[in-house]
Amino acid sequence: MPRPRTPLLDRRRIGAAALRIADDQGALTIPALARELGVAPSALYHHVSGRGEIISLMREELALETDPDDWDASQPWEQALEEWARSYRKAFAAHPGAVPLLATAPLAEPFMHAMYEKVAELLLTAGFSASQVMPLINALESFVLGSALDLVAPPVMVSDVTRETAPHLTAVLDDTPTDHRRAELAFDIGLGALITGFRALLPG
């Protein structure tokens, strides 16, 4: 039989399919990925070495969906860091099912190293010590990833509260949005608090 003009598989297709499966199922297996692509599991290994490389392709696909110019490191560090956090959350919010996979695998990809290089330079230039930078990045990332998951959580996360047994909680819930604004408000307040706290950590 003649070879098909377009290969059945390539690395972009594998990464995109893996993201879809993670979004739909919150998990990723080689058999499920092969079914999604319409090939035998063994065919995947002509293009990837295993699960770890598939997760790298998922990250690359996610990076391709975002604009590298979403944030400008030449701005004041607080503003640049806020824009990075917002662009990062936007990318993960489009694929919440993939967050647990992407957040727990080591970052070995050069394009991810380039992103962290940009953030590290930003914070070092702002005056933070080298020992502070990765903890600050990790803290902000943890908040961003949790906020991305919060975007797909129910609008009301605390329910069936009675005023008699929890009057203070009831009072604050009465003043809390019960739609998508809840997650946006939490992100805005939390991000502002983190950056304010980071500023207080600058060496005197």
Side-chain angles (χ1 to χ4, degrees):
M1 292 181 63
R3 294 174 61 86
R5 290 184 181 179
T6 303
L8 289 175
L9 286 183
D10 60 43
R11 292 170 65 83
R12 283 292 309 276
R13 286 193 64 206
I14 292 171
L19 269 181
R20 288 195 301 272
I21 292 171
D23 285 342
D24 293 342
Q25 302 176 17
L28 177 67
T29 66
I30 298 295
L33 178 59
R35 285 194 300 272
E36 174 74 13
L37 291 165
V39 299
S42 59
L44 293 172
Y45 292 101
H46 294 294
H47 301 271
V48 296
S49 59
R51 181 184 172 86
E53 192 170 359
I54 292 170
I55 292 175
S56 291
L57 292 178
M58 292 168 66
R59 280 208 190 100
E60 186 171 1
E61 192 67 23
L62 199 65
L64 289 169
E65 292 180 13
T66 63
D67 185 350
D69 297 322
D70 276 349
W71 64 288
D72 180 3
S74 67
Q75 304 174 91
W77 72 266
E78 296 96 332
Q79 187 174 345
L81 197 64
E82 177 178 344
E83 289 188 1
W84 175 62
R86 291 186 181 280
S87 67
Y88 206 9
R89 175 179 180 249
K90 179 181 176 183
F92 277 109
H95 301 284
V99 168
L101 290 171
L102 299 177
T104 56
L107 299 167
E109 303 86 3
F111 59 86
M112 294 299 295
H113 296 167
M115 180 185 72
Y116 283 104
E117 167 67 15
K118 188 176 177 182
V119 181
E121 181 183 6
L122 173 72
L123 294 176
L124 289 171
T125 302
F128 291 99
S129 68
S131 63
Q132 289 177 308
V133 169
M134 283 313 299
L136 292 176
I137 291 174
N138 292 157
L140 187 57
E141 271 192 322
S142 296
F143 173 70
V144 166
L145 295 174
S147 297
L149 293 176
D150 196 27
L151 285 172
V152 295
V156 178
M157 288 298 293
V158 182
S159 61
D160 301 322
V161 178
T162 61
R163 195 172 300 275
E164 293 75 17
T165 59
H168 298 91
L169 178 58
T170 301
V172 297
L173 288 174
D174 286 344
D175 206 33
T176 300
T178 56
D179 55 18
H180 71 279
R181 291 176 299 160
R182 177 194 62 76
E184 296 296 340
L185 181 61
F187 179 71
D188 289 342
I189 290 175
L191 181 58
L194 275 172
I195 292 176
T196 298
F198 288 179
R199 189 184 302 117
L201 295 174
L202 275 169

